[in-house]
Amino acid sequence: MRLITTLLALLLILCQPYTLFAESITAQKLFDSNDPVVERQLRTMSLSDKIGQMIIAHCPAKYRSSDDTNYQKLSVLISQGKVGGIMFLKGNTYDAAILTNRFQLLAPHPLLISADMEKGLAMRIDGATEFAPSMALSAIGDRNLVYSMAEAIAGEAKALGIYQSYGPSTDLNLNPDNPIINTRSYGDNVEKTISMANAFIDGLQDNGIIATVKHFPGHGDVTVDSHVALPILDGDKKRLDSFELRPFKAAIDHGVLSVMIGHLAVPKITGNLTPATLSWRIVTHLLRKELDFKGLIITDALNMKALYQDHTLEEISTLAVEAGNDLLLFSPDPELTHRTILNAVQEGRISNKRINDSVRRILTAKRWLGLDRQRIINLDSIPEKIGIESHHVLARTIAERSLTIVRDNERNLPLAEGRKKNILHIILENKQHSTSGEEFEKKMMHAFHATTIRIDPQANSLDYRNARDRAAKASAVILTTYVEVLTGSKNLKLNDMQKSFVSSLASDLPSSTPLVMVSFGTPYIIRNFPAIPTYLCTYTSSPLSEDAVINALKGKFKPEGRLPISLSASVE
């Protein structure tokens, strides 16, 4: 009965088109206002406190002990007002809640607590609801569903005192070989990206969470991961105006409260290889002045290697403020960043006005969030708000509706009854010593009594021979790939031997033997295999997406997702 009630409630949500209410917040409304409370607070703060407001420190959402060195050091910085916010890294629900309250009690001014929640709070917090990535939402194309997902994320985040989301990503994934954006993007279509991103923004901001579009001015047409090196966006202003900047401009016009700057060089705009994060021409001239953005500008994480090819942390900290960023995220040494900026102001390199402009915006945002009135969270309410059944049903709905049949030339889906008796399941893995696919292996065994073998990058000729022999005797062959966006992964490809193996299967197997390839990750993997007759894409390896594939193979539902990207190269 409880599940039926939940399903009916979800149905009502999805059938009711969302509308922007008159009270919906926009950056234009919020940051153009002159709040006397904020002005009074600004006048009473010391320079040290003001600079502290601009620094967002990182912290695992896991409480170890009160004598943990990192916990003690961060606690001191917070109590001294040298940190104005916390970004949670991986951890669990109750530890995050306890840390939120402890840190808020230590802070002389309310902390702005944040997290990366593109796919939901579960990206960082165990026990929260895991949703599909942005590209999966575009495969559905339902703005109401996007809004409902963002609304659910907002509810779970606020239960832990988290009030800023580092999402959505409005990067256009124009380069299929992009190793770090990929399925985090809504795709390569400008209008669809705008539609999906603005619905996500509304779902967050209508429910009291700051949305942050990223990675300005656009991280989608590069081939380098900024976690490991400096990407170069090789486009001129005309090109950027036509593609990369359009989703950002639309989000700004729509009222998004925050923009994150990416660590990438745009030499045809800046005239050099200065990362956008450190470039006044990108942050202030282009974003603040030309696009008329009134809200919070935040750097991407300052621990990323893209910034350190030519600069020290001290130089990065100073240049980021000079460029026009309001919030400095994840300095590897927040105390050093604070001291460096303080010295730069005292020495006259950075003006007091420059600091005041940023801090005024930060305090205004915290006032809108109500942190000046209530910053402590109620631990007793967490079970009613995080990982709840209605959110799980919503996540399952998204997983099923986003499942995409890219190709089914032989009409292999669903599997015919006679082909379910002797299925061979082959996991193609692009990482060594990976456990990807272990749960799906169990599900295939339970559903079809399938045999599973794994082909990783270290597979030898005997491994491939064994796989070919088994495939020849199978009633059906299911190939699964877990090639996903991971920090530092460098590429999203199978190696040459794996590609040759897949191609040989496609040509050698009898046409009567179903050959189905499933990507639990990047959809672009199929570009290498034009002969594969049937190809399914989930955009993610979540358990719910695995369940959706099993049910599609069984014929319990027909996948209706539509591929939201072109499989060809980037635009010119």
Side-chain angles (χ1 to χ4, degrees):
M1 186 66 183
R2 187 176 181 183
L3 179 58
I4 293 173
T5 303
T6 301
L7 287 169
L8 287 172
L10 177 62
L11 186 61
L12 286 171
I13 290 171
L14 297 182
C15 291
Q16 177 65 42
Y18 81 86
T19 55
L20 282 178
F21 299 103
E23 64 270 27
S24 293
I25 195 63
T26 67
Q28 295 89 327
K29 289 181 190 175
L30 182 62
F31 296 103
D32 261 351
S33 62
N34 188 6
D35 189 333
V37 175
V38 168
E39 294 303 320
R40 185 163 57 249
Q41 187 177 2
L42 197 60
R43 288 194 298 271
T44 61
M45 293 175 73
S46 68
L47 177 60
S48 176
D49 280 350
K50 291 176 183 177
I51 292 169
Q53 289 294 296
M54 299 174 68
I55 297 173
I56 307 294
H58 62 287
C59 178
K62 183 176 288 188
Y63 179 71
R64 294 182 174 87
S65 68
S66 58
D67 58 1
D68 177 76
T69 303
N70 292 327
Y71 170 79
Q72 287 182 337
K73 185 174 182 179
L74 182 56
S75 296
V76 169
L77 292 177
I78 291 171
S79 64
Q80 293 175 344
K82 293 180 179 178
V83 165
I86 300 292
M87 177 186 73
F88 275 138
L89 303 178
K90 291 292 287 184
N92 62 77
T93 301
Y94 281 97
D95 282 6
I98 290 167
L99 288 169
T100 291
N101 282 348
R102 290 193 178 201
F103 289 150
Q104 290 286 22
L105 288 170
L106 286 173
H109 306 282
L111 297 171
L112 178 57
I113 298 179
S114 55
D116 198 341
M117 299 183 286
E118 297 170 27
K119 299 189 296 181
L121 192 57
M123 287 182 66
R124 295 292 178 258
I125 308 294
D126 294 339
T129 306
E130 180 180 1
F131 291 98
S134 297
M135 195 173 283
L137 293 167
S138 276
I140 303 170
D142 186 336
R143 286 168 54 85
N144 293 326
L145 205 62
V146 176
Y147 184 93
S148 295
M149 173 177 151
E151 183 177 38
I153 292 169
E156 294 197 356
K158 287 170 69 175
L160 298 183
I162 298 171
Y163 283 92
Q164 182 169 10
S165 168
Y166 299 135
S169 168
T170 46
D171 301 305
L172 295 171
N173 200 73
L174 297 169
N175 193 323
D177 295 322
N178 191 319
I180 193 60
I181 301 302
N182 208 273
T183 55
R184 298 167 64 196
S185 161
Y186 288 109
D188 56 19
N189 181 278
V190 174
E191 296 304 327
K192 177 163 276 192
T193 296
I194 290 171
S195 176
M196 297 293 100
N198 285 353
F200 196 90
I201 291 165
D202 290 341
L204 292 176
Q205 294 186 176
D206 285 355
N207 292 281
I209 294 287
I210 296 172
T212 306
V213 292
K214 62 185 183 183
H215 306 79
F216 189 85
H219 210 307
D221 196 9
V222 300
T223 57
V224 173
D225 176 1
S226 51
H227 292 86
V228 297
L230 180 66
I232 297 174
L233 179 60
D234 188 26
D236 58 17
K237 186 61 163 52
K238 181 180 178 181
R239 152 61 195 254
L240 265 62
D241 283 339
S242 299
F243 293 99
E244 279 86 355
L245 292 179
R246 285 176 61 192
F248 288 100
K249 186 178 187 309
I252 290 166
D253 293 343
H254 197 71
V256 72
L257 296 181
S258 179
V259 174
M260 178 179 284
I261 309 295
H263 300 325
L264 65 158
V266 196
K268 289 181 181 175
I269 302 296
T270 64
N272 53 44
L273 292 180
T274 299
T277 328
L278 310 182
S279 168
W280 181 91
R281 187 166 181 80
I282 296 291
V283 179
T284 296
H285 180 77
L286 179 56
L287 177 56
R288 185 70 79 194
K289 294 185 176 181
E290 187 172 329
L291 297 185
D292 196 28
F293 180 56
K294 305 292 186 181
L296 292 170
I297 301 177
I298 183 168
T299 71
D300 204 347
L302 297 184
N303 69 327
M304 292 163 63
K305 292 181 181 178
L307 297 176
Y308 290 86
Q309 294 182 189
D310 298 308
H311 301 289
T312 64
L313 176 58
E314 292 95 324
E315 292 168 339
I316 290 166
S317 301
T318 304
L319 289 169
V321 175
E322 289 181 323
N325 293 283
D326 300 310
L327 294 165
L328 309 186
L329 178 65
F330 200 163
S331 166
D333 188 340
E335 186 170 25
L336 177 57
T337 290
H338 182 278
R339 184 168 63 249
T340 299
I341 297 169
L342 182 63
N343 290 340
V345 177
Q346 291 172 338
E347 293 167 1
R349 178 172 174 177
I350 297 174
S351 69
N352 277 284
K353 181 182 183 303
R354 171 69 198 86
I355 300 297
N356 286 341
D357 287 346
S358 285
V359 177
R360 182 178 288 109
R361 281 186 282 267
I362 295 165
L363 297 178
T364 298
K366 290 180 178 181
R367 280 265 293 163
W368 174 70
L369 294 168
L371 291 171
D372 57 330
R373 300 181 296 278
Q374 179 63 45
R375 58 171 116 167
I376 303 302
I377 58 173
N378 178 6
L379 302 184
D380 292 337
S381 69
I382 289 174
E384 302 169 2
K385 297 178 179 178
I386 296 182
I388 58 179
E389 180 64 19
S390 61
H391 293 176
H392 183 75
V393 171
L394 176 61
R396 182 177 292 279
T397 298
I398 292 170
E400 290 184 350
R401 289 186 59 188
S402 63
L403 186 60
T404 302
I405 301 176
V406 179
R407 183 188 303 157
D408 190 17
N409 297 338
E410 303 293 338
R411 298 179 180 256
N412 290 322
L413 296 175
L415 292 177
E417 283 301 320
R419 296 296 177 180
K420 297 178 182 177
K421 305 296 184 184
N422 181 31
I423 294 175
L424 177 65
H425 170 220
I426 303 174
I427 300 174
L428 294 161
E429 182 58 75
N430 70 330
K431 302 177 288 294
Q432 296 182 41
H433 313 299
S434 172
T435 60
S436 296
E438 286 188 350
E439 290 304 311
F440 189 69
E441 175 182 349
K442 295 175 185 175
K443 292 172 183 177
M444 286 291 291
M445 178 61 189
H446 178 75
F448 303 110
H449 301 287
T451 300
T452 296
I453 59 177
R454 183 182 293 268
I455 301 292
D456 66 21
Q458 299 305 306
N460 57 39
S461 58
L462 290 176
D463 296 322
Y464 284 107
R465 185 184 305 167
N466 173 57
R468 289 189 182 92
D469 290 344
R470 290 188 177 215
K473 299 172 184 176
S475 62
V477 178
I478 311 297
L479 300 170
T480 58
T481 66
Y482 289 80
V483 182
E484 295 185 274
V485 170
L486 294 171
T487 299
S489 62
K490 296 183 181 178
N491 68 69
L492 292 172
K493 299 177 181 178
L494 299 173
N495 67 25
D496 289 340
M497 290 185 68
Q498 290 171 317
K499 292 177 186 176
S500 176
F501 166 71
V502 173
S503 296
S504 68
L505 277 186
S507 60
D508 295 344
L509 282 179
S511 59
S512 59
T513 302
L515 177 60
V516 179
M517 190 171 192
V518 183
S519 172
F520 288 108
T522 176
Y524 297 103
I525 201 103
I526 195 62
R527 291 186 304 152
N528 298 301
F529 309 113
I532 288 287
T534 303
Y535 178 55
L536 271 172
C537 187
T538 70
Y539 312 96
T540 175
S541 61
S542 75
L544 292 178
S545 292
E546 291 181 337
D547 293 344
V549 170
I550 294 290
N551 289 331
L553 292 174
K554 286 184 172 182
K556 288 190 174 182
F557 77 99
K558 183 179 179 180
E560 297 179 351
R562 301 184 66 178
L563 196 66
I565 46 100
S566 167
L567 294 174
S568 60
S570 61
V571 296
E572 296 297 332

